[in-house]
Amino acid sequence: MTAIGPASSSTKGGDDDAPTASETASKLKKLLKRSRQHVRNERDDAARLDELRRLFAGLIARGELILHGSATSGSSSSAASVDEGGDSSSSDNVNKNDVKARWNAFLKGRHDEFLSQLGESVRAGRKSALRTFCGVVASSPRSIGSDDGCGRMIDERLLYKLVDALTTPGDDHSSILTTEEGMLGLFDSEFVKPHRDVQYFA
């Protein structure tokens, strides 16, 4: 039976202290389980959501979670060489790429679930959730440009999800701000004004 994640605990950059895929999956399952206590108590829920934010930020930094592009760079050419009678090392590369792709797909699914919970908490008027969501967007930039001159900017997909949590769709397909003034003030002062690329998209 093939494992869902990387076979060892070693990760990009040689971090021997990084958790194994099994440990990460178990921790995600536990943290994404929103209990009644979390619904009632904002402080407990804020701690849970922020721990998830830090966990996903670590996965992104280690290259285990790739939100944009493919987690199997070069896998197509490897697959072609096997089909054409390539050696066993090419086949091994294809298998490793397949494992990485499935692990990344699993993590992206959990990340989407996390964003959904964050959005619900923001709609409920929880400022702690808004701060955490802003932290997610700030710590998950998108790479742009070529490998030689690569830059980083705000991931507009995440930003739009955040803005969507602060609005309600109107009858004319427009969006109406429905969040209380205190939440909007927090969003503007702590996130929009300090970041020029956020101003562009927002």
Side-chain angles (χ1 to χ4, degrees):
M1 181 171 170
T2 306
I4 222 179
S8 68
S9 61
S10 61
T11 59
K12 187 178 182 180
D15 185 359
D16 293 333
D17 294 330
T20 64
S22 178
E23 291 169 342
T24 297
S26 296
K27 191 169 187 179
L28 284 172
K29 181 179 180 180
K30 178 181 178 181
L31 289 172
L32 286 169
K33 187 175 182 179
R34 197 178 189 190
S35 66
R36 292 182 180 179
Q37 175 68 14
H38 294 137
V39 174
R40 291 194 301 264
N41 191 308
E42 180 175 357
R43 179 177 294 182
D44 289 347
D45 200 39
R48 178 184 70 90
L49 291 172
D50 193 60
E51 187 172 357
L52 278 165
R53 178 193 64 79
R54 288 185 277 109
L55 178 56
F56 281 116
L59 289 166
I60 291 172
R62 294 195 299 273
E64 293 188 54
L65 172 58
I66 300 174
L67 296 177
H68 290 276
S70 172
T72 58
S73 177
S75 60
S76 296
S77 60
S78 297
S81 66
V82 172
D83 292 339
E84 295 170 3
D87 58 28
S88 61
S89 63
S90 296
S91 179
D92 289 342
N93 287 335
V94 172
N95 290 334
K96 289 179 181 178
N97 284 331
D98 182 58
V99 170
K100 287 181 180 179
R102 288 189 289 115
W103 176 237
N104 189 63
F106 170 81
L107 293 176
K108 286 176 75 172
R110 304 294 78 74
H111 191 261
D112 285 342
E113 187 177 347
F114 167 53
L115 293 179
S116 177
Q117 291 186 13
L118 267 179
E120 290 178 10
S121 294
V122 170
R123 292 185 187 94
R126 292 186 168 182
K127 292 183 178 180
S128 60
L130 177 57
R131 283 195 171 96
T132 299
F133 212 143
C134 290
V136 170
V137 179
S139 63
S140 308
R142 179 169 62 89
S143 297
I144 57 174
S146 63
D147 292 338
D148 293 334
C150 187
R152 299 168 81 79
M153 67 179 295
I154 287 290
D155 183 342
E156 65 271 23
R157 182 185 67 89
L158 296 178
L159 180 60
Y160 290 152
K161 284 181 177 291
L162 171 54
V163 172
D164 182 63
L166 295 167
T167 61
T168 297
D171 296 333
D172 57 351
H173 303 292
S174 61
S175 294
I176 303 171
L177 288 171
T178 56
T179 307
E180 65 177 27
E181 187 174 343
M183 291 277 282
L184 294 177
L186 175 66
F187 177 64
D188 183 56
S189 63
E190 295 192 13
F191 194 60
V192 176
K193 288 181 178 178
H195 301 283
R196 294 182 66 87
D197 43 356
V198 173
Q199 296 171 28
Y200 173 80
F201 286 110

